[in-house]
């Protein structure tokens, strides 16, 4: 069923893009006050502000003073294509959509899944990656498969990052059905910490960050069965279809010429 929803959303997303790409709205380029930076050669470059939550390796995370990762690098390449200067703003995951909608940021890129609900408030680009929601447990856990979470009489304490799809799905599938409680954390690392200290029984999160968290902490495993497959895309204000079109053109070029794949392969080596 979830798979079907995901397929449906991919179709909606493509339609939204096909429709949105042709039908131009007021072409209002947010943020309202366009920022520029001066290059060493004296020319001005427009600043492209990206909203993200940099606690989500390997898509975005801090390394020294900079924010690196798949999203940061793809966004850097897109900015280069557009002749713009990328500026990354780190914020809480649930501040990203408001920042984009209000024009504080030009776009949001954060391993963000395209969902029907988010499509009501923002537009999404062409998808550039696939994510899978997985479940992290302690090695000796009695939860052996994802289905154990939905079994009759189940009663688990499930950790998620607030407002992510992990939160949305488990709220429906587990909490609303009385099959357990959901503990919502500001970031994935905090949820994993709570799992280690025994405050919760599992964490539902995207597979790539899950792999980094499990690699960094002893005694944790990812369940072999998957919860749901999703599409990641970049989100834009509904008012800024002009930028959406430009970014889609750049992104599609970077997908076609293999740049996106080589960035993903660099951060996610084939097993
Ligand atoms: N893919 C999930 C979602 O869209 C989680 C994304 C979390 N990203 C982050 N940078 N913290 O809800």
């Amino acid at each position: 069923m979830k798979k079907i929803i995901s397929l449906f959303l991919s179709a909606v997303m493509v339609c939204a893009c096909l429709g949105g790409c042709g039908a131009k709205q007021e072409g209002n380029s947010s943020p309202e006050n366009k920022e520029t930076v001066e290059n060493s050669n004296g020319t001005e470059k427009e600043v492209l502000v990206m909203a993200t939550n940099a606690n989500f390796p390997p898509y975005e995370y801090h390394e020294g003073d900079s924010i690196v990762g798949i999203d940061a690098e793809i966004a850097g390449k897109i900015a280069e294509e557009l002749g713009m200067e990328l500026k990354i703003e780190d914020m809480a995951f649930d501040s990203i959509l408001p920042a984009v909608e209000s024009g504080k940021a030009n776009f949001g890129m954060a391993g963000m899944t395209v969902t029907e609900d988010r499509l009501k408030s923002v537009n999404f680009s062409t998808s550039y990656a696939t994510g899978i929601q997985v479940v992290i447990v302690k090695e000796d856990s009695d939860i052996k498969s994802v289905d154990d979470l939905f079994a009759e009489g189940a009663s688990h304490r499930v950790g998620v990052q607030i407002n992510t799809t992990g939160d949305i799905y488990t709220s429906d599938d587990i909490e609303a059905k009385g099959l357990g409680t959901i503990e919502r954390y500001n970031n994935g690392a905090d949820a994993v910490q709570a799992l280690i200290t025994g405050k919760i029984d599992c964490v539902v999160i995207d597979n790539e960050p899950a792999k980094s968290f499990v690699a960094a902490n002893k005694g944790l495993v990812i369940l072999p069965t998957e919860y749901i497959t999703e599409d990641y895309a970049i989100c834009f204000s509904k008012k800024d279809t002009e930028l959406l079109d430009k970014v889609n053109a750049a992104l599609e070029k970077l997908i076609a010429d293999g740049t996106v794949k080589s960035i993903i392969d660099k951060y996610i080596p084939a097993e």
Side-chain angles (χ1 to χ4, degrees), residues 50 74 264:
M50 159 172 158
I74 294 176
I264 293 176

Side-chain angles (χ1 to χ4, degrees), residues 48 77-84 243 246-247 249-250:
L48 193 58
K77 290 284 180 196
I78 290 172
E80 216 175 284
E81 287 288 325
L82 303 183
M84 295 167 101
L243 182 64
K246 284 204 259 177
V247 167

Side-chain angles (χ1 to χ4, degrees), residues 52-56 59-60 71 91-93 96 109-115 118 131 133 161-168 186-188 205-206 209 230-232:
T52 196
N53 171 247
N55 220 312
F56 199 69
Y59 289 93
E60 44 266 329
D71 289 342
M91 59 188 74
F93 184 74
I96 299 176
M109 190 169 187
M112 190 182 279
T113 305
V114 180
T115 72
R118 289 174 185 162
Q133 293 297 312
Q161 182 179 14
I162 193 161
N163 266 340
T164 59
T165 46
D167 181 1
I168 297 161
N186 280 327
N187 57 62
I205 192 165
D206 305 50
E230 333 182 286
D231 290 310
Y232 290 170

Side-chain angles (χ1 to χ4, degrees), residues 31-203:
E32 307 315 332
N33 306 311
K34 274 193 195 164
E35 223 185 298
T36 54
V37 287
E38 195 163 320
N39 287 341
S40 43
N41 59 11
T43 56
E44 298 248 296
K45 254 192 181 177
E46 210 179 296
V47 174
L48 193 58
V49 180
M50 159 172 158
T52 196
N53 171 247
N55 220 312
F56 199 69
Y59 289 93
E60 44 266 329
Y61 55 101
H62 288 268
E63 201 173 81
D65 288 339
S66 27
I67 292 173
V68 298
I70 294 171
D71 289 342
E73 279 202 34
I74 294 176
K77 290 284 180 196
I78 290 172
E80 216 175 284
E81 287 288 325
L82 303 183
M84 295 167 101
E85 183 78 22
L86 180 69
K87 185 170 155 194
I88 303 180
E89 302 267 11
D90 188 14
M91 59 188 74
F93 184 74
D94 60 352
S95 299
I96 299 176
L97 286 195
V100 168
E101 287 181 79
S102 69
K104 280 202 191 85
N106 296 106
F107 67 88
M109 190 169 187
M112 190 182 279
T113 305
V114 180
T115 72
E116 222 170 324
D117 218 45
R118 289 174 185 162
L119 277 166
K120 290 180 193 151
S121 49
V122 289
N123 285 333
F124 277 99
S125 71
T126 301
S127 174
Y128 61 91
T130 306
I132 302 168
Q133 293 297 312
V134 297
V135 182
I136 309 177
V137 293
K138 280 193 175 173
E139 264 163 13
D140 57 357
S141 173
D142 64 333
I143 307 170
K144 302 286 181 211
S145 82
V146 176
D147 286 338
D148 290 349
L149 295 176
F150 317 132
E152 218 187 294
S155 150
H156 296 106
R157 296 162 302 170
V158 181
V160 295
Q161 182 179 14
I162 193 161
N163 266 340
T164 59
T165 46
D167 181 1
I168 297 161
Y169 301 141
T170 56
S171 297
D172 282 356
D173 297 344
I174 297 172
E175 194 173 50
K177 298 200 171 121
L179 297 174
T181 52
I182 312 300
E183 298 297 330
R184 299 171 177 87
Y185 297 90
N186 280 327
N187 57 62
D190 290 349
V192 169
Q193 215 41 52
L195 174 62
I196 293 167
T197 57
K199 288 201 189 85
I200 52 175
D201 305 308
C202 65
V203 174

